[in-house]
Amino acid sequence: MSYLQIEQLTKSYAKQTILQNINLNLNQGEFLALLGPSGSGKSTILKLLAGIEAPDAGEIRLAGHLLNPVAAHQREIVLLFQQPYLFPFLSVAENIGFGLKARKVAKKLIAQKVAELLDLIELSGMEQRKPQQLSGGQQQRIALARALAVQPKVLLLDEPLSSLDPEIRGSLQGVIARLHRELQMTTIIVTHDLSEALALAERTALLINGSLVADLPSIELFERPPNRAAAQFVGVGAIIAGHMHGTTFDSKLGQFNGNFGPNTFHVAIRPEHIQINNSALQPSIAAQIIERRYLGERWEYRLQAAEQLIVVREAGQAPRDIGQTVDLHFPPQQLFALAD
Amino acid sequence: MAKSRRWLGLAPASIIMLGLFGGSLGYGIAQSLGWLPFLGQRQLSLAAYRNVLAGEQLGGQWWQALLFSLWVSLAATLGSALICLGLLSSIAERQQQYRGLSTISNLHLAIPHSVWAMALLLVLSQSGIFARIGFALGWLDQPSDFPVLVRDRWGIGIIVAYITKEVPFLLLMGLASLRQQGREYLLVAQSLGANRWQRVRLVLWPLLAPSLIGGSLLVFSFIFGAYEVPALVGVRYPEMLATMALELFLNPDLHARAEGMAVSLLMSLIILLVIGLAWRWRRAEQQP
């Protein structure tokens, strides 16, 4: 039995359905990313788990116990918000010890725990500072320490890094990953950033328009998204429409060999797996470059072939010219079927 | 250079303010010291203060009025602050209710104190609406059996009038603090395991304290110095200091103006003293 079970969770606001029949299971100590565009209902799931909002239907169970009737402050599930929301009238130490004080833990033990956590987040010596005296990254670390202080059964992170600079975000991702490795706390992070989900979580659930469209190991979701909605969100090189003829997939772009299954109507490939101008490889498809942009380590090209838009990412090359016609090769082993 | 320019920029407003405020204050002090040129009296003395604080006629009246004013002002201020804190505690976690409460409070603030006091008089007096309803329903043998809630010797009517008038004012100040992420802080506290009482004590109160204490000081100062509500719903004895000051000031014997001014200035000193003490207390509390 899973540690955290979410069954048929549904939530609406003012007749607008935000979540519909969400089913999710988490094992103890697992790190799950809830990925999706803005407004997809990710944060709502966290609010329902934390008990800040009540579901219209569905059940939440923790270690077998039904959580629905349990008040938020008794759930032992801590939600870390997008903003740190450190209490401005308390010092750093008092902020970290807040949850322990609410649990009536002895002052001496609170001080000990605060010192340990400050050490863990590498901010020792800042006990007496006020939140206003800290940088955004430091504030978010303190908020994380404050959440960890109460040793929650589940830690919920609601886009806690989205308001930070890229450099600080990277360093805090490292802190979160390290803390999860060391503490093995069951954690769910909400993010709209695929790279963040890949960097932190071993498993990612993709939510679009209030429905769960994928729930897979993070790398698998990135490499081989299972359906069109997931493929469009994670970004693939091409989604090719067609139909199966035996072991061949027929499309406007040509025929592709592969055992995609009898009811396959779409196949896809990642943009970095499409090869350009390698004449030794057949079959090849002629396509015209219509746009290009530099991504840092790779060039990304948008190409047109038989009314199909194709995205290709190519590393370590001088840029190709816009308007140039090139041959594209889709390695059969890199093509995968998409469910509708 | 930049500093002197800044002062120069402020000079027109400062001169007008100092001229008007300082001029009237100076004239008031002079009158309280017996400088009444319209009576040919130009010699300065502390006679008016002696009369007010220890005079045979006014001395007793002053101390009685002082105690009564302090009682009414403190009771109305504390009552308003506690009701405001209770109301804010009950809606703090329901942000959708902020706007409604704010609208009601704003509308209520637009009603002048004198109009509100008269309305209370119509409702709560022994010949008022409640008394008549009670009599019509058979709960009272006579409308005059209705409890004395206005024009009573304990100042209940004045206190009720001020509480019902000042709660919306304090609510608006508190709501302004809550709107600055107040709900989020409460959600964080809830998520960290704080129960409802702990959230009020450990989060809501520290968030609201600066605005509520500041607002309460304003309310105290206003009630302590205001005249119209005690005049409408109070009794002649005991009376509040503001009523006493005005009566002295309007006395046909113009010599009483010095005492009237002395009472007004002593009231101002008491208000300054209360504000000073509150300020020191807040500072001491904020020290780590």
Side-chain angles (χ1 to χ4, degrees):
Chain A
M1 189 174 64
S2 300
Y3 185 58
L4 180 68
Q5 295 169 285
I6 298 171
E7 288 165 12
Q8 299 292 313
L9 207 61
T10 298
K11 178 74 183 172
S12 303
Y13 293 116
K15 291 180 185 169
Q16 192 190 348
T17 304
I18 304 296
L19 291 174
Q20 200 154 22
N21 299 327
I22 301 295
N23 292 296
L24 262 177
N25 290 312
L26 247 88
N27 292 323
Q28 194 163 12
E30 200 176 0
F31 199 142
L32 173 85
L34 266 179
L35 181 68
S38 298
S40 57
K42 314 178 294 287
S43 296
T44 305
I45 293 186
L46 295 199
K47 285 178 188 164
L48 298 178
L49 287 172
I52 288 170
E53 308 250 348
D56 297 335
E59 288 186 349
I60 301 166
R61 287 177 189 276
L62 184 66
H65 299 290
L66 187 65
L67 278 189
N68 296 46
V70 180
H73 69 276
Q74 292 170 328
R75 289 196 177 191
E76 295 187 70
I77 293 179
V78 173
L79 173 57
L80 188 71
F81 291 84
Q82 196 169 344
Q83 300 295 326
Y85 295 128
L86 296 181
F87 302 119
F89 44 83
L90 298 180
S91 67
V92 162
E94 288 165 331
N95 262 287
I96 296 175
F98 182 89
L100 297 173
K101 188 176 175 183
R103 284 165 174 74
K104 298 186 169 64
V105 174
K107 277 185 185 173
K108 202 176 164 186
L109 285 176
I110 295 179
Q112 202 179 323
K113 189 77 189 170
V114 167
E116 267 174 38
L117 283 162
L118 278 171
D119 190 39
L120 200 64
I121 58 165
E122 295 164 357
L123 286 178
S124 292
M126 295 208 171
E127 285 86 345
Q128 295 315 316
R129 291 214 191 165
K130 283 281 166 91
Q132 305 87 293
Q133 296 172 293
L134 304 174
S135 69
Q138 287 172 331
Q139 287 191 22
Q140 202 55 280
R141 280 187 199 210
I142 300 297
L144 185 61
R146 181 175 63 178
L148 294 174
V150 296
Q151 291 176 298
K153 288 180 175 165
V154 181
L155 178 65
L156 307 174
L157 309 170
D158 189 1
E159 304 202 50
L161 312 179
S162 62
S163 59
L164 302 173
D165 296 337
E167 196 185 332
I168 300 167
R169 196 184 310 164
S171 114
L172 259 173
Q173 278 177 4
V175 172
I176 292 173
R178 177 169 58 81
L179 290 176
H180 181 255
R181 263 197 319 275
E182 289 176 18
L183 305 173
Q184 286 296 304
M185 197 171 276
T186 310
T187 307
I188 301 178
I189 187 168
V190 152
T191 179
H192 58 263
D193 182 352
L194 175 65
S195 63
E196 194 163 277
L198 289 168
L200 289 171
E202 52 233 20
R203 208 178 106 207
T204 296
L206 179 62
L207 207 67
I208 291 175
N209 291 332
S211 297
L212 202 61
V213 298
D215 178 8
L216 289 169
S218 304
I219 295 173
E220 196 179 324
L221 177 70
F222 179 72
E223 295 281 342
R224 295 197 168 221
N227 49 47
R228 284 171 69 191
Q232 275 161 354
F233 186 83
V234 302
V236 290
I239 296 176
I240 306 160
H243 56 272
M244 291 300 293
H245 262 275
T247 56
T248 306
F249 185 79
D250 274 345
S251 74
K252 278 186 186 172
L253 287 181
Q255 292 184 327
F256 301 98
N257 289 325
N259 194 12
F260 301 120
N263 294 320
T264 300
F265 297 101
H266 289 92
V267 295
I269 184 167
R270 290 224 39 89
E272 55 275 13
H273 292 156
I274 301 172
Q275 297 179 4
I276 304 184
N277 278 354
N278 192 338
S279 54
L281 296 170
Q282 290 297 324
S284 64
I285 297 152
Q288 191 180 27
I289 299 173
I290 53 172
E291 211 180 303
R292 75 177 185 206
R293 63 183 180 135
Y294 189 52
L295 300 179
E297 289 163 354
R298 289 166 187 256
W299 278 95
E300 183 180 274
Y301 299 100
R302 289 178 178 267
L303 305 101
Q304 186 101 36
E307 293 173 17
Q308 166 87 47
L309 184 72
I310 300 163
V311 180
V312 177
R313 287 191 195 131
E314 195 181 30
Q317 296 281 339
R320 297 176 189 276
D321 295 330
I322 293 172
Q324 185 187 349
T325 300
V326 292
D327 288 328
L328 301 179
H329 174 66
F330 292 55
Q333 70 279 12
Q334 301 293 0
L335 283 162
F336 51 90
L338 294 176
D340 284 320
Chain B
M1 187 67 184
K3 205 173 176 183
S4 58
R5 257 195 206 157
R6 203 161 56 226
W7 283 110
L8 215 61
L10 284 171
S14 308
I15 289 167
I16 292 171
M17 285 294 291
L18 281 173
L20 286 173
F21 185 71
S24 13
L25 184 67
Y27 187 51
I29 292 171
Q31 280 201 359
S32 75
L33 293 172
W35 193 72
L36 302 167
F38 44 88
L39 298 175
Q41 200 173 302
R42 293 175 192 278
Q43 206 174 351
L44 300 185
S45 77
L46 290 170
Y49 288 93
R50 269 197 301 273
N51 282 344
V52 166
L53 296 172
E56 204 175 306
Q57 233 188 336
L58 288 178
Q61 196 183 337
W62 154 265
W63 292 109
Q64 191 70 250
L66 173 64
L67 284 177
F68 188 64
S69 298
L70 284 174
W71 150 247
V72 168
S73 310
L74 281 173
T77 304
L78 280 175
S80 308
L82 286 174
I83 291 171
C84 175
L85 188 63
L87 280 171
L88 289 176
S89 308
S90 64
I91 64 133
E93 286 166 12
R94 294 195 289 272
Q95 208 163 14
Q96 64 274 22
Q97 293 187 357
Y98 288 10
R99 184 179 282 193
L101 196 62
S102 174
T103 308
I104 293 169
S105 301
N106 271 313
L107 286 174
H108 189 74
L109 274 189
I111 303 170
H113 277 79
S114 52
V115 174
W116 186 249
M118 280 192 280
L120 276 183
L121 204 61
L122 288 174
V123 172
L124 295 179
S125 70
Q126 285 178 306
S127 56
I129 294 168
F130 280 4
R132 285 162 198 271
I133 291 173
F135 175 64
L137 293 173
W139 296 342
L140 303 170
D141 293 335
Q142 291 295 321
S144 58
D145 290 341
F146 192 74
V148 183
L149 294 179
V150 288
R151 292 194 172 141
D152 60 300
R153 68 182 313 275
W154 291 101
I156 302 296
I158 308 174
I159 294 168
V160 170
Y162 276 128
I163 286 179
T164 47
K165 201 70 188 79
E166 305 315 326
V167 164
F169 168 70
L170 290 179
L171 274 177
L172 285 175
M173 297 194 76
L175 282 171
S177 303
L178 274 187
R179 280 202 186 94
Q180 293 168 359
Q181 303 175 337
R183 183 175 175 264
E184 287 77 10
Y185 289 127
L186 290 166
L187 289 180
V188 167
Q190 189 179 17
S191 183
L192 289 168
N195 62 33
R196 194 172 169 76
W197 168 239
Q198 286 173 323
R199 295 200 291 278
V200 170
R201 190 169 56 90
L202 301 175
V203 180
L204 193 64
W205 172 244
L207 276 177
L208 291 177
S211 59
L212 269 192
I213 291 173
S216 296
L217 282 175
L218 286 177
V219 166
F220 175 86
S221 311
F222 174 76
I223 297 174
F224 194 78
Y227 165 79
E228 68 265 56
V229 173
L232 282 165
V233 291
V235 284
R236 280 195 65 80
Y237 182 83
E239 64 181 345
M240 285 184 70
L241 285 174
T243 325
M244 181 184 171
L246 197 74
E247 277 171 5
L248 286 167
F249 202 76
L250 297 176
N251 198 312
D253 175 6
L254 294 179
H255 288 94
R257 272 200 184 184
E259 277 86 7
M261 273 302 170
V263 172
S264 299
L265 287 166
L266 286 170
M267 283 168 61
S268 307
L269 278 178
I270 292 167
I271 290 170
L272 285 175
L273 184 74
V274 171
I275 291 172
L277 286 173
W279 184 70
R280 277 194 65 173
W281 172 69
R282 275 299 290 166
R283 275 197 59 155
E285 210 185 37
Q286 282 168 353
Q287 296 291 325

